[in-house]
Amino acid sequence: MENKTSFLPREGEAQPSRCPDNSAFKQQRLPAWKPQLTIASVLSCFFLTGAFCLTVGVCLVLSSNSVREIQINYSDKCSNCTKLRENSSNWNKECHCSVNFTLKEDILGDVFMYYGLENFYQNHRRYVTSRSDAQLLGRNVNIQRSKCAPFSTYRNGTPMSPCGAIANSIFNDTIDLFYKRNSSVIQVPLLKTGVSWWTDKNVKFRNPESYNLSSAFAGTARPPYWQKPVYLLDEEDERNNGFVNDDFIVWMRVSAFATFRNLYRRLRRVRHFTEGLPAGNYTFRIAYNFPVTRFKGRKHVILSTVVWSGGKNPFLGIAYLVSGTAATLAGFVITGIHLKLRKKKTYFQKQ
């Protein structure tokens, strides 16, 4: 039987020390800086922070107000198409509508076209995860087991490409812009490429390697709500097809809010539009395909310029103004309290 006393220290033997080493680090003797908060340093921090935030806020608000923007709600103006899209059995029927508007002043510089959606929740947990990054990277287009369900395969086993609820619900309205110049109507040249992030276009989305894009997607089928396969999204530019299509990439970057806008086109500054969009009468011609009545949504088309701080969004500037105002007011309050206490202290010293 093992002797239990064999683990105990014998008489005369030194017991091992459990104290930490006698070093500056382990004994917490390292040099340290302890700031002495005086009234001058505290008030300086508050007033400098307030001045900085107020300056940045004013610059951001002025920059946002300098953005030229026109927004048109075409959900109500295309009421005939809206009623047609309420019935899902009419998915293969085409419907077009026109929306007229007037620019009273020139919009100079680069002009961008956005589409906006209201009451469309892309931040639902199952919706956000309903995609296959391996498929979007071109590694395996025949995804059958993934988080894409129920938009992963058809009943006969044919895999969908691209799979998932995000891809299936892609915004598929077609919006063209026309300019009425004198007695003629000119189509405004718009670019379909260059509207997505560089990292998305060149890193996160890749087409499968094949000598022919259609053969790369052989054995797959388009999602249920799509009107054409993924390799024919842009029939005019072969480089803008498949998973690297700009419209597809922009849609796959989901929004955190129910009301959002996505970049759709950018103005090609040639001929009559070298300086931007001239003042005059314009028409949006819309191929209405995206239904919004079931979730009580609305659709917008936006023409906007951009500045160094981005598009028209005064929220960040207002946030800086509020923060700067709060810091400045806190500085004045602390100054008043300090003067009051100092006056009282002086009074008692004289007594």
Side-chain angles (χ1 to χ4, degrees), residues 4 71 89 102 106 123 130 144 194 211 299 307:
K4 295 183 179 180
Q71 178 172 315
S89 61
T102 302
D106 297 343
N123 56 2
S130 183
Q144 296 187 4
Y211 68 93
K299 295 189 289 187
V307 291

Side-chain angles (χ1 to χ4, degrees), residues 190-203:
L190 301 173
L191 295 173
K192 299 179 180 179
T193 56
V195 299
S196 60
W197 291 14
W198 184 91
T199 52
D200 290 348
K201 184 82 171 180
N202 297 276
V203 179

